[in-house]
Amino acid sequence: MNLLFAHIGRDHGVIDGRRSAAAVSASGLIIRRHHDDGIALLLQAGAAGPSSRPPRPLPCRPGPDGSVTLFDGALYNAAELAATLDHPAGTEAAALAATALARQGEAAPAAWVGDFAAIRWHPARRELIAAIDQMGGRPLFYCCRPDGILLASRIDTLLAHPAVPRGLDPEILGLTLVAAAHRRPNRTVHTAIDMLPPGHGLTWSDGRLRLWRYWQPDPTRRIRFRRDDEYVEAARHLLEQAVACRLPAGDEPLLCHLTAGLDSTAVATTAARLRDPAPLHTVTLRPQPMAVLPEAPGLIQDEWDGARLVPPLYPNMVPHHLVAPVPTEADEDPGGRFHRRDWPMSWLFSDGLYHPAPDLARDLGARVVLTGEGGNLSLSWDGRLAMADQLRHLRLRGLATNLAGRARQGKSPLREFLGWALLPALPPELRLAVKRLRGRPELWRERSALAPSLGERLAEGRLTRHAPRRSASRDADMRIELIEKNTFLKLAHSGHMWADPADRRHPLTDVRLVDFCLGLPAEQYLNRGRDRWLARRVLAGRLPQAVLDERRTGRENADWFQRMTIRRDWMMAEIERCEASPLAREVLDLPRIRRLIEAWPADATPASRPETMLPLLHAVGRGLRVGQFIYRAEGGNG
């Protein structure tokens, strides 16, 4: 990965090259390319090499019009772009991006498929253009000032620059507690730092900043085929295309996540077919062997039980199953895995930060890791909210057929009707009224550690409620909400990417596949009560039947209760630290967190009940991480 940095001034004398270089170097990276014309300073940095002597930075090569372009990431449709731009096959992505931006300006990124961030400076026009990809694969953060603008791939880099003011935003911290920060898509938890939302770009010229959007999910798109099997053929083609363009060259080592679900197995089996006979290493995360895992209907507690059935079908698949290390207090120290300055962690012990995959990738020499992330946004959407649309539009025969199919799978028709048809079909105000009649509080009161006064202010702005209505389809609205939420979270938590030796790629969020899946009829996902119907047909013959028919949900973090229990004393100490911070007291309901820890369940069985588990994970786990983030940002110990 390349770290991109730009500091543009409205006039000469604004840029301090030494301070900017120091901010970039504070990220632990080496500056490799630079451009400084007195108005604009552009730096591109990368990981330090094996030599103890850092290479001398090379000047950025300007284009024919004098513009300078920085690029990070990959363009997966590079061959198509090269032909369109009259470049030879094999032209590097950075050169393609530079040419496209020079010729097409703001219109260029709409034709790109990939994980990318690009910055272009045109000295003659004194204009800066920047853009990132549609699905949050590469971030750009910025700080706009009266005398100029600073952009960087990392929040840490901007925070290390003396021109960027410090301060935290209570509203965004509060929305983080209820997983709703995506409702303010260009804001970060830092008051002076914003970020480019997915599918967006910005143009800055002489102190004027303008954001523009070149892609968004389209709920009105319609894709219709004559025959049912044409949907399967088209989806299978797009899946193979999305995986193929993300594979490393030749027989280079490759690692892929493998769980018991349809998403990672779709990616892993497709990669194995495309790479055969080259080996494909897979990794499955398992719970601690000594952890007591109670029976949990509808959940797979140890994903290896299903994942191990897949490799025997593919001779070139090399499976690995690993246990994540137990978090220790050293992980909380400066420089530790859980010490974050850019954004609060989502969970007390986040899978992404203690997953053993990066260490395994390093041992294997794998520079690329494939995941099944985002499959529920595209190929494996379960489709059950289609029943709400059937009820709203009085398509009662189709609703009855789906409910009967759910009953044949052992589901309660009444529960399915209430949970997936009636309640979702109601307007948000009526849904909230029904909850109150049943004596249940709003979700933010029920599950989170959001301070009541702040929560009420956010609720007045409708920021803590369910997905807003955008179309005539409740199913489409929820899919778009999840796309925006997941892509936002990828950007917000992108800081961990810089500690990962491998490039994590997510084929199921390929924008071509996402656009295609959004345009399909609802019956392709829920058919006679059978959910994830499209994915099950696409993967038929490629997965063991037991995996293909699995209806339970896998849980990678199944031993969460044991991990939290052994840190109870530490959690109580964290509350005391948070209580010393006025901002933490403003954002968090600290008395509630304390009560939940003091009433800790005796064992994993009562802790696994949803009414107990969700407050422990959200209110205690996420609440403590937000509090810890606040007091550290304020200069507290740790």
Side-chain angles (χ1 to χ4, degrees):
M1 292 178 62
N2 295 315
L3 181 140
L4 309 184
F5 175 87
H7 189 178
I8 315 297
R10 295 187 65 177
D11 206 343
H12 288 271
V14 172
I15 308 301
D16 186 332
R18 287 186 300 177
R19 289 185 171 183
S20 295
V24 171
S25 299
S27 303
L29 303 175
I30 302 297
I31 298 173
R32 301 191 178 280
R33 291 191 176 274
H34 73 96
H35 169 84
D36 187 354
D37 58 20
I39 297 291
L41 173 69
L42 281 73
L43 302 174
Q44 181 170 301
S51 173
S52 59
R53 179 179 297 177
R56 186 170 184 173
L58 299 174
C60 295
R61 185 177 300 171
D65 60 353
S67 63
V68 176
T69 301
L70 300 181
F71 182 86
D72 175 40
L75 294 176
Y76 300 127
N77 63 336
E80 175 187 328
L81 292 173
T84 302
L85 298 170
D86 297 321
H87 277 290
T91 301
E92 291 186 354
L96 294 174
T99 300
L101 288 170
R103 294 182 187 177
Q104 303 162 0
E106 295 177 3
W112 300 354
V113 176
D115 301 316
F116 60 82
I119 298 174
R120 176 178 179 265
W121 167 246
H122 197 296
R125 298 177 187 167
R126 297 181 69 161
E127 177 187 77
L128 178 86
I129 291 179
I132 65 169
D133 64 87
Q134 303 91 334
M135 304 306 292
R138 290 292 190 275
L140 276 179
F141 304 95
Y142 62 94
C143 173
C144 202
R145 296 173 46 82
D147 59 357
I149 185 172
L150 297 96
L151 298 91
S153 302
R154 293 178 63 168
I155 289 178
D156 284 359
T157 304
L158 293 178
L159 291 175
H161 199 287
V164 177
R166 300 294 185 93
L168 298 179
D169 188 329
E171 179 180 289
I172 304 303
L173 288 168
L175 291 174
T176 298
L177 288 168
V178 293
H182 62 288
R183 303 282 171 81
R184 292 285 186 263
N186 69 314
R187 299 266 296 276
T188 76
V189 293
H190 303 273
T191 53
I193 299 175
D194 292 315
M195 70 178 179
L196 268 181
H200 279 70
L202 66 79
T203 300
W204 184 95
S205 179
D206 195 27
R208 294 185 298 274
L209 176 69
R210 178 171 54 85
L211 293 182
W212 38 274
R213 188 170 193 172
Y214 69 87
W215 178 86
Q216 59 184 325
D218 183 4
T220 65
R221 188 181 186 194
R222 296 290 181 268
I223 297 175
R224 299 294 183 267
F225 296 124
R226 289 186 177 182
R227 302 192 323 273
D228 189 69
D229 58 359
E230 291 182 85
Y231 293 102
V232 176
E233 292 169 6
R236 190 172 284 167
H237 166 74
L238 287 169
L239 170 63
E240 292 177 351
Q241 179 186 58
V243 174
C245 66
R246 288 166 173 80
L247 295 177
D251 295 343
E252 183 178 323
L254 175 63
L255 180 63
C256 184
H257 288 196
L258 182 65
T259 67
L262 297 178
D263 298 336
S264 63
T265 52
V267 174
T269 55
T270 303
R273 290 164 60 94
L274 294 172
R275 278 176 62 88
D276 188 42
L280 170 71
H281 295 269
T282 65
V283 58
T284 304
L285 183 66
R286 303 191 67 181
Q288 291 286 333
M290 301 303 293
V292 177
L293 303 178
E295 288 293 327
L299 293 176
I300 304 173
Q301 301 279 44
D302 186 349
E303 300 229 49
W304 179 241
D305 293 342
R308 66 182 177 181
L309 302 177
V310 178
L313 300 183
Y314 298 88
N316 63 327
M317 195 176 283
V318 184
H320 305 262
H321 52 98
L322 304 173
V323 175
V326 177
T328 66
E329 292 191 17
D331 292 322
E332 311 293 345
D333 295 336
R337 286 178 294 175
F338 302 148
H339 189 269
R340 301 288 297 273
R341 296 178 63 243
D342 53 352
W343 202 283
M345 287 172 53
S346 294
W347 308 106
L348 198 62
F349 304 119
S350 174
D351 288 345
L353 290 180
Y354 70 89
H355 198 295
D359 293 335
L360 178 59
R362 186 183 295 109
D363 294 341
L364 295 172
R367 295 188 296 175
V368 173
V369 175
L370 299 181
T371 81
E373 183 177 319
N376 59 338
L377 309 178
S378 57
L379 185 68
S380 66
W381 177 248
D382 69 20
R384 285 178 290 178
L385 278 174
M387 291 191 286
D389 293 336
Q390 290 173 327
L391 179 61
R392 287 178 60 190
H393 299 291
L394 299 180
R395 297 195 293 267
L396 302 183
R397 179 177 296 179
L399 174 59
T401 299
N402 279 321
L403 289 173
R406 302 298 290 169
R408 286 192 294 271
Q409 297 174 40
K411 306 293 183 180
S412 164
L414 179 59
R415 284 179 176 268
E416 292 287 307
F417 175 74
L418 292 175
W420 292 101
L422 180 59
L423 288 177
L426 297 176
E429 294 76 11
L430 277 180
R431 290 202 300 272
L432 183 58
V434 170
K435 285 197 68 173
R436 288 171 175 165
L437 285 174
R438 297 171 62 194
R440 294 184 59 187
E442 294 179 77
L443 279 179
W444 70 267
R445 297 183 189 273
E446 188 175 27
R447 297 181 183 177
S448 81
L450 186 58
S453 57
L454 178 58
E456 288 165 4
R457 293 204 308 270
L458 295 176
E460 287 177 3
R462 300 176 180 268
L463 294 174
T464 61
R465 299 187 182 179
H466 291 287
R469 180 168 294 178
R470 312 166 194 254
S471 69
S473 168
R474 176 68 175 149
D475 182 75
D477 288 348
M478 181 55 71
R479 293 181 74 179
I480 293 173
E481 170 82 357
L482 289 178
I483 289 172
E484 293 181 348
K485 180 177 180 177
N486 285 25
T487 53
F488 174 90
L489 289 175
K490 281 173 67 177
L491 294 176
H493 297 285
S494 59
H496 72 84
M497 293 193 304
W498 299 93
D500 196 331
D503 183 11
R504 288 162 55 96
R505 300 178 180 178
H506 317 291
L508 298 183
T509 61
D510 187 294
V511 68
R512 296 165 294 191
L513 180 61
V514 171
D515 280 339
F516 170 81
C517 290
L518 275 173
L520 299 186
E523 303 81 49
Q524 289 299 312
Y525 300 101
L526 184 69
N527 185 283
R528 297 180 179 274
R530 294 168 291 189
D531 59 3
R532 293 183 169 85
W533 184 233
L534 178 64
R536 297 185 198 281
R537 287 174 295 153
V538 167
L539 299 174
R542 301 187 176 192
L543 290 179
Q545 198 63 38
V547 176
L548 201 62
D549 293 339
E550 181 62 74
R551 257 66 184 182
R552 294 175 298 168
T553 301
R555 176 183 285 170
E556 278 197 343
N557 198 18
D559 53 359
W560 65 271
F561 180 73
Q562 180 183 7
R563 293 178 182 274
M564 291 182 71
T565 298
I566 62 178
R567 302 293 300 280
R568 280 184 65 193
D569 292 342
W570 170 82
M571 289 191 287
M572 292 299 290
E574 287 297 292
I575 292 178
E576 294 177 3
R577 294 189 182 102
C578 292
E579 287 171 341
S581 164
L583 180 57
R585 295 197 302 270
E586 176 188 349
V587 172
L588 294 166
D589 187 347
L590 293 171
R592 185 185 187 209
I593 299 177
R594 182 181 288 276
R595 289 194 302 271
L596 287 168
I597 298 176
E598 289 174 345
W600 201 254
D603 56 56
T605 299
S608 297
R609 300 186 185 111
E611 64 272 16
T612 303
M613 176 182 67
L614 294 175
L616 292 181
L617 288 175
H618 292 269
V620 176
R622 185 176 291 167
L624 285 179
R625 284 303 182 198
V626 169
Q628 184 183 62
F629 180 85
I630 291 172
Y631 77 68
R632 282 176 171 166
E634 294 176 334
N637 59 336

